[in-house]
Amino acid sequence: MTRWLEGTVIENRPWAEGLFTLRVEGAPLTFEAGQFVRIALDIGGERVARPFSMVNAPADPVLEFYGIVVPQGLLSPRLARLASGERLFVAPNPAGFLVLAELPPARTLWLMSTGTGIAPFISMLRAGTPWQSFYSVVLVHAVRHARELVYRGDIDQCKAQFGERFRYVPVVSREPASAALRGRIPALIGDGTLEAEAGIELASASAQVMLCGNPDMLKDTSAVLATRGLRKNRRRAPGHITVESFW
């Protein structure tokens, strides 16, 4: 039986309609940047849990979770309403293989995300670990509306610190947005637009790609990358594409 950690909310930040970040203290957790954990509330006499990636760096004792409200969901609407001082539960066993230790060497690390899938990549950037193994990092964040392009403070800090070694490519699908590409990640890879915007070639000889987001993006992006000679990364058969999905 899971022995849950009990944490206290110290901040609930709304980003846009249905998007929120919870910062939680008092639930010490050891994890690798990129992993996820279940968080829970007691609802109707039952402990209801869902997986969330950590946004904070592993060295930060304050846990941070970025979530979206599923309107008919049992847990997420309640999480979005939590106030400072209220409690939630955190499982003690982080999981997931979307971690840099699983990647073969390469020159460029591509971090491609949709929606809340940016969370594990912000954790990696905050930890500073990508720069120990890769010369260049390209962060791609695809959303429906420009107001969903979050964590810009962290992104601007990376730009200031690493200059041309860090590239940020925002993608918006449902409205025109300044300084953002329009469309979906797989199509933008397929026609060369994403590489042109990043100024870096997406090639099997020089790239590692991490994907986190909705299942359609993961499937379609993996397929278009395969046409470029990139293949799934497995422990027994090292490749180029590492995927995380807990939808």
Side-chain angles (χ1 to χ4, degrees), residues 92-141:
N93 51 342
F97 294 99
L98 194 78
V99 295
L100 295 174
E102 297 288 333
L103 303 190
R107 179 174 176 81
T108 303
L109 174 65
W110 293 76
L111 305 173
M112 301 188 186
S113 60
T114 58
T116 57
I118 195 175
F121 300 148
I122 295 298
S123 178
M124 293 177 191
L125 294 175
R126 287 179 173 180
T129 43
W131 313 105
Q132 299 169 16
S133 303
F134 300 91
Y135 179 78
S136 299
V137 176
V138 181
L139 173 65
V140 183
H141 188 205

Side-chain angles (χ1 to χ4, degrees), residues 2 4 25 35 41 48 56-57 61 76 86 90 104 107-108 126 128 139 148 168 174 213 216 232 241 245:
T2 301
W4 293 85
E25 67 178 7
Q35 289 191 304
L41 293 173
V48 179
N56 57 295
S76 62
E86 294 192 274
V90 180
R107 179 174 176 81
T108 303
R126 287 179 173 180
L139 173 65
E148 299 164 3
Y168 170 60
R174 296 192 180 178
D216 286 342
K232 289 285 184 69
I241 308 167
S245 175

Side-chain angles (χ1 to χ4, degrees), residues 33 82 87 99 169 220:
L82 288 177
R87 294 183 174 271
V99 295
V169 183
D220 295 344

Side-chain angles (χ1 to χ4, degrees), residues 141-209:
H141 188 205
V143 297
R144 295 168 298 175
H145 302 284
R147 62 180 178 272
E148 299 164 3
L149 294 169
V150 296
Y151 287 102
R152 298 299 290 267
D154 289 275
I155 291 163
D156 289 343
Q157 184 174 338
C158 283
K159 288 180 180 178
Q161 185 173 359
F162 296 103
E164 289 298 305
R165 293 182 64 192
F166 177 73
R167 313 291 175 88
Y168 170 60
V169 183
V171 178
V172 178
S173 63
R174 296 192 180 178
E175 63 184 6
S178 61
L181 298 181
R182 180 84 182 268
R184 296 180 65 243
I185 290 174
L188 295 169
I189 295 172
D191 66 11
T193 301
L194 186 64
E195 290 161 280
E197 182 69 16
I200 298 176
E201 183 183 11
L202 182 50
S204 60
S206 60
Q208 281 292 317
V209 182

Side-chain angles (χ1 to χ4, degrees), residues 7 31 45 47 64 70 89 108 113 158 162 169 187 193 218-219 222:
F31 67 95
R47 188 153 294 175
E64 187 168 329
V70 179
F89 299 97
T108 303
S113 60
C158 283
F162 296 103
V169 183
T193 301
L218 302 180
K219 175 174 65 70
S222 295

Side-chain angles (χ1 to χ4, degrees), residues 1 4-6 39-49 74-75 78-79 82 86-90:
M1 188 173 181
W4 293 85
L5 306 172
E6 192 168 338
I39 63 176
L41 293 173
D42 288 339
I43 303 170
E46 179 184 357
R47 188 153 294 175
V48 179
L74 191 58
L75 181 63
R78 290 170 170 83
L79 290 175
L82 288 177
E86 294 192 274
R87 294 183 174 271
L88 54 71
F89 299 97
V90 180

